[in-house]
Amino acid sequence: AQKVTQAQTEISVVEKEDVTLDCVYETRDTTYYLFWYKQPPSGELVFLIRRNSFDEQNEISGRYSWNFQKSTSSFNFTITASQVVDSAVYFCALIAIKAAGNKLTFGGGTRVLVKP
Amino acid sequence: DAGVIQSPRHEVTEMGQEVTLRCKPISGHDYLFWYRQTMMRGLELLIYFNNNVPIDDSGMPEDRFSAKMPNASFSTLKIQPSEPRDSAVYFCASRKQASGANVLTFGAGSRLTVL
């Protein structure tokens, strides 16, 4: 079985503050992929990043950065210098190929509210 | 690239009525997924297809739900009869196996309200 846990249901920050979203996953597979999706108030699901289980390099894309640590089964996401446009629900997700085929399992999501 | 196209975007219906949601995947994508999003259960996979063939429908709630993919460019999710607890946002997503990226591209969703 595969499982994704996002313990933070909602985070509220003031613009320009940094915010870190936690994601913990469970799988017995050695080959898996981790994702982050953004769901803005308009409702669509927007892909942000994918990581495979063999690549633990952290990644930075503009104000976004991701910290993947297999030792703690975590794939955390940081928004630096947050902006009002970052207000959205963010989902962490997992595909474990052998255990679950092509099923993308989502965490419960973390709602980020950035106040001006 | 037009992305994944879903229709209708909003549907309001009365309990007992038949509801049909439609999806056009991205051209060339060979996997299609139907997800449902509710406050209580979050995002859950209902069913997915590979090359138009249903592979796993274990997430379909009950016999009132059915999904078809008659060709590579069209899929439907049908609820008959609908119930208030079916109210949710239904997402369709597609991906291309050959890309190796396992990235699903989602449609804008169909918001269903059953009164």
Side-chain angles (χ1 to χ4, degrees), chain A residues 33 35 37 39 41-47 49-50 89 91 95 97 100-108 111, chain B residues 9 31 33 35 37 39 42-45 48 56 58-59 89 91 95 97 100-108:
Chain A
Y33 298 88
F35 304 80
Y37 280 83
Q39 187 174 40
S42 51
E44 71 271 27
L45 284 159
V46 179
F47 166 73
I49 190 173
R50 181 200 76 132
V89 181
F91 292 93
I95 289 178
I97 301 299
N102 292 283
K103 293 183 179 181
L104 181 64
T105 298
F106 285 89
R111 181 179 300 277
Chain B
R9 290 295 313 279
Y31 280 86
F33 303 80
Y35 279 82
Q37 185 177 32
M39 289 294 293
L43 279 157
E44 49 182 349
L45 177 65
Y48 77 90
D56 187 338
S58 59
V89 180
F91 286 99
R95 81 157 218 256
Q97 175 70 7
N102 287 302
V103 176
L104 272 64
T105 301
F106 285 82

Short mmCIF file of all heavy atoms in Angstrom, two decimals, chain A residues 33 35 37 39 41-47 49-50 89 91 95 97 100-108 111, chain B residues 9 31 33 35 37 39 42-45 48 56 58-59 89 91 95 97 100-108:
data_model
loop_
_atom_site.label_atom_id
_atom_site.label_comp_id
_atom_site.label_asym_id
_atom_site.label_seq_id
_atom_site.Cartn_x
_atom_site.Cartn_y
_atom_site.Cartn_z
N TYR A 33 7.81 7.58 -7.46
CA TYR A 33 7.89 8.97 -7.89
C TYR A 33 7.07 9.84 -6.95
O TYR A 33 5.98 9.45 -6.52
CB TYR A 33 7.35 9.12 -9.32
CG TYR A 33 8.13 8.34 -10.34
CD1 TYR A 33 7.81 7.01 -10.62
CD2 TYR A 33 9.20 8.91 -11.01
CE1 TYR A 33 8.52 6.27 -11.55
CE2 TYR A 33 9.92 8.17 -11.94
CZ TYR A 33 9.58 6.86 -12.20
OH TYR A 33 10.30 6.13 -13.11
N PHE A 35 5.48 13.82 -6.24
CA PHE A 35 5.02 14.99 -6.98
C PHE A 35 4.49 16.04 -6.01
O PHE A 35 4.05 15.73 -4.90
CB PHE A 35 3.86 14.61 -7.92
CG PHE A 35 4.16 13.50 -8.88
CD1 PHE A 35 4.11 12.18 -8.46
CD2 PHE A 35 4.47 13.78 -10.20
CE1 PHE A 35 4.39 11.14 -9.34
CE2 PHE A 35 4.74 12.74 -11.08
CZ PHE A 35 4.70 11.43 -10.66
N TYR A 37 1.56 19.16 -6.55
CA TYR A 37 0.60 19.84 -7.38
C TYR A 37 0.05 21.04 -6.62
O TYR A 37 -0.09 21.00 -5.40
CB TYR A 37 -0.57 18.93 -7.76
CG TYR A 37 -0.29 17.96 -8.89
CD1 TYR A 37 0.36 16.75 -8.64
CD2 TYR A 37 -0.69 18.25 -10.19
CE1 TYR A 37 0.61 15.86 -9.68
CE2 TYR A 37 -0.45 17.36 -11.23
CZ TYR A 37 0.21 16.17 -10.97
OH TYR A 37 0.45 15.28 -11.99
N GLN A 39 -3.26 23.70 -6.37
CA GLN A 39 -4.65 23.91 -6.74
C GLN A 39 -5.05 25.33 -6.31
O GLN A 39 -5.40 25.56 -5.16
CB GLN A 39 -5.59 22.88 -6.11
CG GLN A 39 -7.02 22.97 -6.62
CD GLN A 39 -7.90 21.85 -6.10
OE1 GLN A 39 -7.81 21.45 -4.95
NE2 GLN A 39 -8.75 21.32 -6.97
N PRO A 41 -7.35 28.91 -6.23
CA PRO A 41 -8.80 29.07 -5.99
C PRO A 41 -9.66 28.76 -7.22
O PRO A 41 -10.83 28.38 -7.06
CB PRO A 41 -8.91 30.54 -5.58
CG PRO A 41 -7.59 30.85 -4.96
CD PRO A 41 -6.58 30.07 -5.76
N SER A 42 -9.12 28.90 -8.39
CA SER A 42 -9.89 28.59 -9.60
C SER A 42 -10.17 27.09 -9.75
O SER A 42 -11.04 26.70 -10.53
CB SER A 42 -9.14 29.10 -10.84
OG SER A 42 -7.80 28.65 -10.82
N GLY A 43 -9.43 26.25 -9.03
CA GLY A 43 -9.80 24.83 -8.95
C GLY A 43 -8.99 23.84 -9.75
O GLY A 43 -9.05 22.64 -9.48
N GLU A 44 -8.23 24.31 -10.74
CA GLU A 44 -7.49 23.32 -11.53
C GLU A 44 -6.30 22.79 -10.74
O GLU A 44 -5.85 23.40 -9.78
CB GLU A 44 -7.03 23.94 -12.86
CG GLU A 44 -5.92 24.97 -12.72
CD GLU A 44 -6.44 26.37 -12.50
OE1 GLU A 44 -7.56 26.52 -11.96
OE2 GLU A 44 -5.70 27.31 -12.85
N LEU A 45 -5.78 21.66 -11.14
CA LEU A 45 -4.60 21.05 -10.51
C LEU A 45 -3.41 21.27 -11.42
O LEU A 45 -3.38 20.80 -12.56
CB LEU A 45 -4.84 19.56 -10.28
CG LEU A 45 -5.75 19.22 -9.10
CD1 LEU A 45 -6.32 17.82 -9.26
CD2 LEU A 45 -4.99 19.34 -7.79
N VAL A 46 -2.41 21.95 -10.89
CA VAL A 46 -1.25 22.33 -11.69
C VAL A 46 -0.03 21.58 -11.19
O VAL A 46 0.32 21.66 -10.02
CB VAL A 46 -1.01 23.85 -11.61
CG1 VAL A 46 0.22 24.23 -12.44
CG2 VAL A 46 -2.23 24.61 -12.08
N PHE A 47 0.64 20.88 -12.09
CA PHE A 47 1.85 20.13 -11.76
C PHE A 47 2.98 21.11 -11.46
O PHE A 47 3.21 22.06 -12.20
CB PHE A 47 2.21 19.22 -12.93
CG PHE A 47 3.60 18.66 -12.88
CD1 PHE A 47 3.92 17.66 -11.98
CD2 PHE A 47 4.59 19.13 -13.73
CE1 PHE A 47 5.19 17.13 -11.93
CE2 PHE A 47 5.87 18.61 -13.70
CZ PHE A 47 6.17 17.61 -12.80
N ILE A 49 6.29 19.73 -9.65
CA ILE A 49 7.57 19.03 -9.71
C ILE A 49 7.37 17.53 -9.57
O ILE A 49 6.40 17.08 -8.98
CB ILE A 49 8.53 19.53 -8.60
CG1 ILE A 49 9.95 18.96 -8.82
CG2 ILE A 49 7.99 19.14 -7.22
CD1 ILE A 49 10.99 19.52 -7.88
N ARG A 50 8.31 16.78 -10.14
CA ARG A 50 8.38 15.33 -9.98
C ARG A 50 9.78 14.95 -9.54
O ARG A 50 10.76 15.54 -9.99
CB ARG A 50 8.08 14.64 -11.30
CG ARG A 50 8.11 13.12 -11.23
CD ARG A 50 8.28 12.52 -12.60
NE ARG A 50 9.64 12.62 -13.06
CZ ARG A 50 10.33 11.61 -13.58
NH1 ARG A 50 9.78 10.42 -13.67
NH2 ARG A 50 11.55 11.78 -14.03
N VAL A 89 -4.16 25.52 -2.48
CA VAL A 89 -3.98 24.25 -1.77
C VAL A 89 -2.88 23.48 -2.51
O VAL A 89 -2.91 23.38 -3.74
CB VAL A 89 -5.27 23.42 -1.74
CG1 VAL A 89 -5.04 22.11 -0.98
CG2 VAL A 89 -6.40 24.22 -1.10
N PHE A 91 -0.78 19.93 -2.94
CA PHE A 91 -0.89 18.49 -2.73
C PHE A 91 0.43 17.80 -3.03
O PHE A 91 1.05 18.05 -4.07
CB PHE A 91 -1.96 17.88 -3.65
CG PHE A 91 -3.36 18.29 -3.32
CD1 PHE A 91 -3.94 19.37 -3.95
CD2 PHE A 91 -4.09 17.59 -2.37
CE1 PHE A 91 -5.25 19.75 -3.65
CE2 PHE A 91 -5.39 17.96 -2.06
CZ PHE A 91 -5.97 19.05 -2.70
N ILE A 95 3.52 7.89 -6.67
CA ILE A 95 3.27 6.68 -7.46
C ILE A 95 4.35 5.68 -7.10
O ILE A 95 5.54 5.95 -7.27
CB ILE A 95 3.34 6.95 -8.98
CG1 ILE A 95 2.14 7.76 -9.45
CG2 ILE A 95 3.38 5.63 -9.75
CD1 ILE A 95 2.17 8.09 -10.92
N ILE A 97 5.45 2.18 -8.30
CA ILE A 97 5.15 1.44 -9.53
C ILE A 97 4.77 -0.01 -9.26
O ILE A 97 3.74 -0.48 -9.74
CB ILE A 97 6.36 1.49 -10.49
CG1 ILE A 97 6.69 2.94 -10.82
CG2 ILE A 97 6.06 0.69 -11.74
CD1 ILE A 97 5.57 3.68 -11.50
N ALA A 100 1.54 -0.24 -6.72
CA ALA A 100 0.26 0.36 -7.07
C ALA A 100 0.14 0.71 -8.54
O ALA A 100 -0.75 1.46 -8.91
CB ALA A 100 0.04 1.61 -6.22
N GLY A 101 1.01 0.17 -9.35
CA GLY A 101 0.87 0.40 -10.79
C GLY A 101 0.92 1.86 -11.14
O GLY A 101 1.88 2.55 -10.85
N ASN A 102 -0.16 2.32 -11.73
CA ASN A 102 -0.17 3.69 -12.20
C ASN A 102 -1.02 4.60 -11.33
O ASN A 102 -1.39 5.68 -11.75
CB ASN A 102 -0.69 3.72 -13.63
CG ASN A 102 0.28 3.07 -14.58
OD1 ASN A 102 1.29 3.66 -14.92
ND2 ASN A 102 0.01 1.84 -14.97
N LYS A 103 -1.30 4.18 -10.13
CA LYS A 103 -2.15 4.97 -9.26
C LYS A 103 -1.36 6.09 -8.60
O LYS A 103 -0.38 5.84 -7.91
CB LYS A 103 -2.75 4.10 -8.16
CG LYS A 103 -3.73 3.07 -8.65
CD LYS A 103 -4.32 2.32 -7.48
CE LYS A 103 -5.33 1.29 -7.93
NZ LYS A 103 -5.93 0.55 -6.79
N LEU A 104 -1.81 7.30 -8.82
CA LEU A 104 -1.23 8.47 -8.15
C LEU A 104 -2.03 8.71 -6.89
O LEU A 104 -3.22 9.02 -6.97
CB LEU A 104 -1.27 9.68 -9.09
CG LEU A 104 -0.70 10.98 -8.57
CD1 LEU A 104 0.79 10.85 -8.31
CD2 LEU A 104 -0.98 12.12 -9.54
N THR A 105 -1.39 8.55 -5.75
CA THR A 105 -2.07 8.73 -4.46
C THR A 105 -1.72 10.09 -3.90
O THR A 105 -0.54 10.43 -3.77
CB THR A 105 -1.64 7.63 -3.48
OG1 THR A 105 -2.02 6.36 -3.99
CG2 THR A 105 -2.29 7.83 -2.11
N PHE A 106 -2.75 10.85 -3.55
CA PHE A 106 -2.56 12.20 -3.04
C PHE A 106 -2.61 12.25 -1.52
O PHE A 106 -3.33 11.48 -0.88
CB PHE A 106 -3.66 13.12 -3.57
CG PHE A 106 -3.50 13.50 -5.02
CD1 PHE A 106 -4.05 12.71 -6.02
CD2 PHE A 106 -2.82 14.66 -5.38
CE1 PHE A 106 -3.91 13.06 -7.34
CE2 PHE A 106 -2.67 15.01 -6.70
CZ PHE A 106 -3.22 14.21 -7.69
N GLY A 107 -1.88 13.20 -0.96
CA GLY A 107 -2.07 13.56 0.43
C GLY A 107 -3.32 14.41 0.57
O GLY A 107 -3.98 14.73 -0.43
N GLY A 108 -3.64 14.76 1.80
CA GLY A 108 -4.85 15.51 2.05
C GLY A 108 -4.78 16.98 1.65
O GLY A 108 -5.81 17.67 1.64
N ARG A 111 -3.58 23.90 2.77
CA ARG A 111 -4.06 25.20 2.26
C ARG A 111 -3.11 26.29 2.75
O ARG A 111 -2.87 26.42 3.95
CB ARG A 111 -5.47 25.48 2.74
CG ARG A 111 -6.05 26.80 2.21
CD ARG A 111 -7.47 27.00 2.70
NE ARG A 111 -8.36 25.92 2.25
CZ ARG A 111 -8.93 25.88 1.06
NH1 ARG A 111 -8.73 26.87 0.20
NH2 ARG A 111 -9.71 24.88 0.74
N ARG B 9 -18.49 22.01 -17.08
CA ARG B 9 -17.70 22.54 -15.97
C ARG B 9 -18.52 22.55 -14.68
O ARG B 9 -17.99 22.34 -13.60
CB ARG B 9 -17.21 23.95 -16.29
CG ARG B 9 -16.17 24.04 -17.37
CD ARG B 9 -14.85 23.35 -16.96
NE ARG B 9 -14.41 23.73 -15.63
CZ ARG B 9 -13.76 24.84 -15.35
NH1 ARG B 9 -13.46 25.69 -16.30
NH2 ARG B 9 -13.37 25.10 -14.10
N TYR B 31 -2.84 6.96 -21.23
CA TYR B 31 -3.49 6.67 -19.96
C TYR B 31 -4.50 7.77 -19.65
O TYR B 31 -4.22 8.96 -19.85
CB TYR B 31 -2.47 6.63 -18.81
CG TYR B 31 -1.71 5.33 -18.71
CD1 TYR B 31 -0.56 5.12 -19.46
CD2 TYR B 31 -2.13 4.33 -17.85
CE1 TYR B 31 0.14 3.93 -19.37
CE2 TYR B 31 -1.44 3.14 -17.75
CZ TYR B 31 -0.30 2.94 -18.51
OH TYR B 31 0.40 1.75 -18.42
N PHE B 33 -7.33 8.92 -16.50
CA PHE B 33 -7.72 8.69 -15.11
C PHE B 33 -8.93 9.55 -14.78
O PHE B 33 -9.04 10.69 -15.23
CB PHE B 33 -6.58 9.10 -14.16
CG PHE B 33 -5.27 8.40 -14.41
CD1 PHE B 33 -4.43 8.81 -15.44
CD2 PHE B 33 -4.87 7.35 -13.61
CE1 PHE B 33 -3.22 8.18 -15.67
CE2 PHE B 33 -3.66 6.70 -13.84
CZ PHE B 33 -2.84 7.11 -14.87
N TYR B 35 -10.66 11.07 -11.33
CA TYR B 35 -10.54 11.31 -9.89
C TYR B 35 -11.76 12.06 -9.40
O TYR B 35 -12.40 12.80 -10.15
CB TYR B 35 -9.30 12.17 -9.58
CG TYR B 35 -8.00 11.41 -9.53
CD1 TYR B 35 -7.30 11.12 -10.68
CD2 TYR B 35 -7.46 11.01 -8.30
CE1 TYR B 35 -6.09 10.43 -10.64
CE2 TYR B 35 -6.25 10.33 -8.24
CZ TYR B 35 -5.58 10.04 -9.42
OH TYR B 35 -4.38 9.35 -9.36
N GLN B 37 -12.94 14.64 -6.09
CA GLN B 37 -12.45 15.43 -4.97
C GLN B 37 -13.62 15.88 -4.10
O GLN B 37 -14.54 16.56 -4.58
CB GLN B 37 -11.67 16.65 -5.45
CG GLN B 37 -11.04 17.45 -4.31
CD GLN B 37 -10.21 18.62 -4.79
OE1 GLN B 37 -10.49 19.23 -5.82
NE2 GLN B 37 -9.15 18.96 -4.07
N MET B 39 -14.49 17.26 0.17
CA MET B 39 -13.89 17.77 1.39
C MET B 39 -13.55 16.62 2.33
O MET B 39 -12.51 16.62 2.98
CB MET B 39 -14.83 18.75 2.08
CG MET B 39 -14.97 20.07 1.35
SD MET B 39 -13.44 21.00 1.34
CE MET B 39 -13.28 21.40 3.07
N GLY B 42 -10.98 13.95 0.12
CA GLY B 42 -9.87 14.47 -0.66
C GLY B 42 -9.94 13.99 -2.10
O GLY B 42 -11.03 13.77 -2.64
N LEU B 43 -8.77 13.80 -2.72
CA LEU B 43 -8.68 13.35 -4.10
C LEU B 43 -8.55 11.83 -4.12
O LEU B 43 -7.58 11.28 -3.59
CB LEU B 43 -7.46 13.98 -4.78
CG LEU B 43 -7.64 15.40 -5.30
CD1 LEU B 43 -6.30 16.10 -5.41
CD2 LEU B 43 -8.35 15.38 -6.65
N GLU B 44 -9.50 11.18 -4.74
CA GLU B 44 -9.46 9.73 -4.81
C GLU B 44 -9.63 9.25 -6.24
O GLU B 44 -10.46 9.77 -6.98
CB GLU B 44 -10.52 9.10 -3.89
CG GLU B 44 -11.89 9.67 -4.05
CD GLU B 44 -12.91 9.06 -3.09
OE1 GLU B 44 -12.62 8.04 -2.45
OE2 GLU B 44 -14.02 9.61 -3.02
N LEU B 45 -8.84 8.24 -6.59
CA LEU B 45 -8.90 7.67 -7.93
C LEU B 45 -10.11 6.76 -8.06
O LEU B 45 -10.32 5.88 -7.23
CB LEU B 45 -7.62 6.88 -8.21
CG LEU B 45 -7.54 6.16 -9.55
CD1 LEU B 45 -7.52 7.16 -10.70
CD2 LEU B 45 -6.31 5.26 -9.60
N TYR B 48 -8.98 3.98 -14.00
CA TYR B 48 -8.09 4.45 -15.04
C TYR B 48 -8.04 3.47 -16.20
O TYR B 48 -8.31 2.28 -16.04
CB TYR B 48 -6.69 4.80 -14.51
CG TYR B 48 -5.76 3.66 -14.21
CD1 TYR B 48 -4.90 3.16 -15.20
CD2 TYR B 48 -5.67 3.13 -12.93
CE1 TYR B 48 -4.00 2.16 -14.91
CE2 TYR B 48 -4.78 2.11 -12.64
CZ TYR B 48 -3.94 1.64 -13.62
OH TYR B 48 -3.04 0.62 -13.33
N ASP B 56 -8.12 -0.57 -13.82
CA ASP B 56 -8.42 -0.69 -12.40
C ASP B 56 -9.61 0.19 -12.07
O ASP B 56 -9.52 1.41 -12.17
CB ASP B 56 -7.19 -0.26 -11.59
CG ASP B 56 -7.37 -0.52 -10.09
OD1 ASP B 56 -8.52 -0.62 -9.62
OD2 ASP B 56 -6.35 -0.60 -9.38
N SER B 58 -11.26 -0.26 -9.09
CA SER B 58 -11.52 -0.57 -7.68
C SER B 58 -11.97 0.65 -6.87
O SER B 58 -12.53 0.52 -5.80
CB SER B 58 -10.28 -1.19 -7.03
OG SER B 58 -9.18 -0.31 -7.12
N GLY B 59 -11.73 1.82 -7.41
CA GLY B 59 -12.14 3.03 -6.71
C GLY B 59 -13.54 3.49 -7.03
O GLY B 59 -14.05 4.43 -6.40
N VAL B 89 -16.20 17.46 -7.07
CA VAL B 89 -15.55 17.87 -8.31
C VAL B 89 -14.90 16.62 -8.90
O VAL B 89 -14.15 15.92 -8.21
CB VAL B 89 -14.49 18.96 -8.08
CG1 VAL B 89 -13.84 19.34 -9.41
CG2 VAL B 89 -15.11 20.18 -7.42
N PHE B 91 -12.40 15.10 -11.65
CA PHE B 91 -11.29 15.46 -12.52
C PHE B 91 -10.94 14.31 -13.45
O PHE B 91 -10.93 13.14 -13.05
CB PHE B 91 -10.03 15.79 -11.69
CG PHE B 91 -10.08 17.10 -10.97
CD1 PHE B 91 -10.41 17.16 -9.62
CD2 PHE B 91 -9.79 18.28 -11.64
CE1 PHE B 91 -10.45 18.38 -8.95
CE2 PHE B 91 -9.81 19.50 -10.98
CZ PHE B 91 -10.15 19.54 -9.64
N ARG B 95 -1.96 10.92 -19.29
CA ARG B 95 -0.50 10.96 -19.34
C ARG B 95 -0.02 10.03 -20.44
O ARG B 95 -0.75 9.15 -20.92
CB ARG B 95 0.10 10.58 -18.00
CG ARG B 95 0.19 9.14 -17.68
CD ARG B 95 1.29 8.92 -16.64
NE ARG B 95 2.02 7.71 -16.92
CZ ARG B 95 1.86 6.58 -16.25
NH1 ARG B 95 0.99 6.51 -15.25
NH2 ARG B 95 2.58 5.52 -16.55
N GLN B 97 2.68 7.28 -21.41
CA GLN B 97 3.61 6.31 -20.83
C GLN B 97 5.01 6.47 -21.38
O GLN B 97 5.98 6.41 -20.65
CB GLN B 97 3.11 4.89 -21.10
CG GLN B 97 4.04 3.79 -20.66
CD GLN B 97 4.13 3.67 -19.16
OE1 GLN B 97 3.39 4.32 -18.43
NE2 GLN B 97 5.03 2.85 -18.68
N GLY B 100 7.85 8.53 -19.83
CA GLY B 100 8.56 8.05 -18.65
C GLY B 100 8.46 8.96 -17.45
O GLY B 100 9.02 8.69 -16.40
N ALA B 101 7.75 10.04 -17.59
CA ALA B 101 7.74 11.02 -16.51
C ALA B 101 6.66 10.74 -15.47
O ALA B 101 6.73 11.25 -14.36
CB ALA B 101 7.55 12.42 -17.07
N ASN B 102 5.66 9.93 -15.84
CA ASN B 102 4.56 9.63 -14.92
C ASN B 102 3.81 10.86 -14.46
O ASN B 102 3.16 10.84 -13.42
CB ASN B 102 5.06 8.86 -13.70
CG ASN B 102 5.40 7.43 -14.02
OD1 ASN B 102 4.57 6.68 -14.49
ND2 ASN B 102 6.65 7.06 -13.80
N VAL B 103 3.91 11.94 -15.21
CA VAL B 103 3.22 13.16 -14.81
C VAL B 103 1.81 13.17 -15.38
O VAL B 103 1.63 13.06 -16.59
CB VAL B 103 3.98 14.41 -15.29
CG1 VAL B 103 3.20 15.67 -14.96
CG2 VAL B 103 5.37 14.45 -14.66
N LEU B 104 0.84 13.31 -14.51
CA LEU B 104 -0.55 13.43 -14.95
C LEU B 104 -0.88 14.89 -15.22
O LEU B 104 -0.58 15.76 -14.40
CB LEU B 104 -1.50 12.90 -13.88
CG LEU B 104 -1.83 11.41 -13.91
CD1 LEU B 104 -0.61 10.57 -13.65
CD2 LEU B 104 -2.94 11.10 -12.91
N THR B 105 -1.53 15.14 -16.36
CA THR B 105 -2.06 16.45 -16.66
C THR B 105 -3.56 16.42 -16.42
O THR B 105 -4.26 15.57 -16.99
CB THR B 105 -1.78 16.85 -18.11
OG1 THR B 105 -0.36 16.84 -18.33
CG2 THR B 105 -2.31 18.24 -18.40
N PHE B 106 -4.03 17.32 -15.58
CA PHE B 106 -5.44 17.32 -15.18
C PHE B 106 -6.25 18.31 -16.00
O PHE B 106 -5.76 19.38 -16.40
CB PHE B 106 -5.57 17.68 -13.70
CG PHE B 106 -5.20 16.56 -12.78
CD1 PHE B 106 -3.86 16.31 -12.47
CD2 PHE B 106 -6.17 15.73 -12.22
CE1 PHE B 106 -3.50 15.27 -11.62
CE2 PHE B 106 -5.82 14.69 -11.37
CZ PHE B 106 -4.48 14.46 -11.08
N GLY B 107 -7.52 17.96 -16.18
CA GLY B 107 -8.47 18.91 -16.71
C GLY B 107 -8.91 19.87 -15.63
O GLY B 107 -8.49 19.77 -14.48
N ALA B 108 -9.77 20.80 -16.02
CA ALA B 108 -10.22 21.84 -15.09
C ALA B 108 -11.25 21.33 -14.09
O ALA B 108 -11.57 22.01 -13.11
CB ALA B 108 -10.78 23.02 -15.86
#
